[in-house]
Amino acid sequence: MITPEEDIRIITVDVGNMLTRLGVFELADGNAPALSGSCALTSKPTLTADEALVELRHARSLLPAGDVAGAILSCVVPALTDSWRRALERELRCHVLVVGPGLRSGIRLKFDNPAEVGGDRIADAIAARERHGAPILVVDLGTTTNLELVDAAGAFAGGVIAPGIALGARALSNAAARLPVIEPAPPARVLGRNTAEAMRSGVVLGSAAMVDGLVDAIIAEQGLDPNLPIIVTGSNAGVLARLMRHDAVVDDELTLHGLALIWVANRR
């Protein structure tokens, strides 16, 4: 636990397939970590440690300045994990935690193989439980659309992984020669009157309908309250939340908060 006299700053890094998000958290007076600033960079498919260091220094110019006592990294791109870890160690000169086997998460994972669960999904579940209570369902929008259930006992009960909105738009264009590349923005109506409108309807409204349907299926299968709290985070979270039938709360920085909580649970 954080003791009242402590006042320190940490950096959290969430490397995804599309975006790399960084957050600065202040830990003081025994309270929960407080986010003081965040930024997002485009993720690169490959990155040396030197290149990651350049990215990190650029990101730090966008974040609150000050000494950093620790850092934690979650990376769903295995080829980038070591580069970001080494860059963080060189720049911050502090111990860097990497989310994975051997690190205390503070949450029970009801999975056949817990090592398969990505660090971002674990962070989402922990932050949702601590910030919003349990049971709760998280919808995380990125390259994939992930649904994660935290049960009444506070355990990570399981989830769903589906194609993300942007991935769906790219897949249509790549697989069908006559379909254009589109920006997956919400259409004005369901029935499109041109190809781009029809594609936006299918991709964006289809994603909202898919999430609503999966929420209904999870509630029915698990015998949950139909008014189960739902948190939406990630790219286009606000857009999707407005299109869903279910009431949902948007928490854009959920993953970063979860990483900060994992750091606290593992602090030296």
Side-chain angles (χ1 to χ4, degrees):
M1 294 294 293
I2 305 167
T3 56
E5 65 273 13
E6 291 178 298
D7 186 356
I8 61 176
R9 179 181 293 109
I10 65 169
I11 284 184
T12 62
V13 183
D14 174 34
V15 181
N17 289 286
M18 292 191 303
L19 292 176
T20 295
R21 300 181 184 275
L22 298 92
V24 173
F25 284 84
E26 311 292 337
L27 283 68
D29 299 327
N31 297 320
L35 181 66
S36 60
S38 65
C39 67
L41 310 173
T42 301
S43 292
K44 308 292 194 305
T46 60
L47 209 61
T48 67
D50 290 335
E51 290 167 334
L53 184 61
V54 172
E55 296 272 302
L56 176 59
R57 287 175 175 168
H58 172 62
R60 292 199 75 191
S61 71
L62 306 174
L63 296 170
D67 293 336
V68 174
I72 183 167
L73 168 68
S74 169
C75 183
V76 300
V77 186
L80 299 180
T81 302
D82 189 58
S83 293
W84 271 102
R85 179 189 58 78
R86 290 165 59 194
L88 287 162
E89 289 175 344
R90 286 170 59 185
E91 173 70 4
L92 304 177
R93 300 186 183 279
C94 66
H95 181 60
V96 177
L97 300 179
V98 180
V99 180
L103 201 66
R104 292 190 301 274
S105 66
I107 192 168
R108 181 186 174 199
L109 304 178
K110 293 183 178 179
F111 276 74
D112 295 336
N113 181 5
E116 292 180 351
V117 185
D120 55 338
R121 298 170 71 196
I122 296 172
D124 282 347
I126 292 170
R129 183 187 67 185
E130 299 303 317
R131 288 165 61 78
H132 304 283
I136 194 165
L137 190 62
V138 178
V139 181
D140 191 338
L141 306 169
T143 302
T144 58
T145 293
N146 299 336
L147 282 75
E148 319 294 357
L149 177 65
V150 180
D151 63 21
F156 190 168
V160 176
I161 302 175
I165 295 175
L167 180 60
R170 290 199 303 271
L172 280 176
S173 300
N174 292 339
R178 296 189 62 182
L179 295 182
V181 176
I182 63 163
E183 179 67 25
R189 50 187 163 261
V190 178
L191 291 177
R193 294 177 184 169
N194 56 60
T195 299
E197 280 187 356
M199 290 174 67
R200 289 191 182 97
S201 181
V203 170
V204 180
L205 299 184
S207 292
M210 175 191 71
V211 170
D212 276 322
L214 288 170
V215 169
D216 288 337
I218 291 169
I219 288 172
E221 179 184 80
Q222 300 297 316
L224 299 168
D225 184 339
N227 297 315
L228 174 76
I230 300 170
I231 303 298
V232 183
T233 191
S235 306
N236 300 308
V239 171
L240 188 88
R242 290 192 297 271
L243 296 173
M244 289 171 57
R245 288 186 292 103
H246 293 85
D247 291 334
V249 174
V250 175
D251 189 337
D252 287 325
E253 311 294 353
L254 189 73
T255 309
L256 295 180
H257 277 279
L259 291 176
L261 291 167
I262 295 173
W263 186 90
V264 171
N266 288 271
R267 66 174 311 185
R268 292 184 171 181

